[in-house]
Amino acid sequence: RLSEWREVVAGTKGVPALIAAAIAHDAWRRIAPFQRGGWLGSVLAAVLLRERCKTKHHLLALNAGAREAGYRRAHFHDLGERIAGFLQWVCF
């Protein structure tokens, strides 16, 4: 499952960094490479943003935004809603 997640992330090469981070985060939650460690998806999305020079000296605290934003991820949301929710997290 980890290699499947890596393939998804590799497929975001030509996509804007913020959308790529949203896709990587969503894929982590959907594929669940590890039985424990769902929190790693937020950290890895933040790492992706730093790798693409959207942050320079720190990792974006995406979990803090997730607590403040009104969006709560649910299994019935489609990909567009999940990405929009992730972007809302970034705004907070």
Side-chain angles (χ1 to χ4, degrees), residues 2 7 10 17 19 28 32 40-41 49 51-52 72-73 75 77-78:
L2 186 57
E7 288 177 21
I19 301 298
W28 186 269
L40 282 172
L49 288 171
E51 282 181 353
R52 296 198 182 182
R72 297 292 176 256
R73 180 184 160 92
H75 68 280
H77 290 154
D78 66 13

Side-chain angles (χ1 to χ4, degrees), residues 30-92:
R30 186 176 39 80
I31 297 168
F34 302 131
Q35 287 181 344
R36 297 184 185 124
W39 57 273
L40 282 172
S42 298
V43 174
L44 293 171
V47 168
L48 193 144
L49 288 171
R50 189 172 67 183
E51 282 181 353
R52 296 198 182 182
C53 300
K54 294 300 173 188
T55 61
K56 288 187 179 189
H57 304 294
H58 66 283
L59 295 178
L60 190 61
L62 295 172
N63 284 336
R67 285 189 291 259
E68 295 296 320
Y71 174 78
R72 297 292 176 256
R73 180 184 160 92
H75 68 280
F76 56 83
H77 290 154
D78 66 13
L79 180 60
E81 288 176 300
R82 294 190 311 260
I83 288 177
F86 179 88
L87 297 176
Q88 188 180 27
W89 294 356
V90 172
C91 289
F92 281 92

Side-chain angles (χ1 to χ4, degrees), residues 5-18:
W5 178 80
R6 287 180 178 164
E7 288 177 21
V8 170
V9 173
T12 65
K13 292 285 186 219
V15 177
L18 198 52

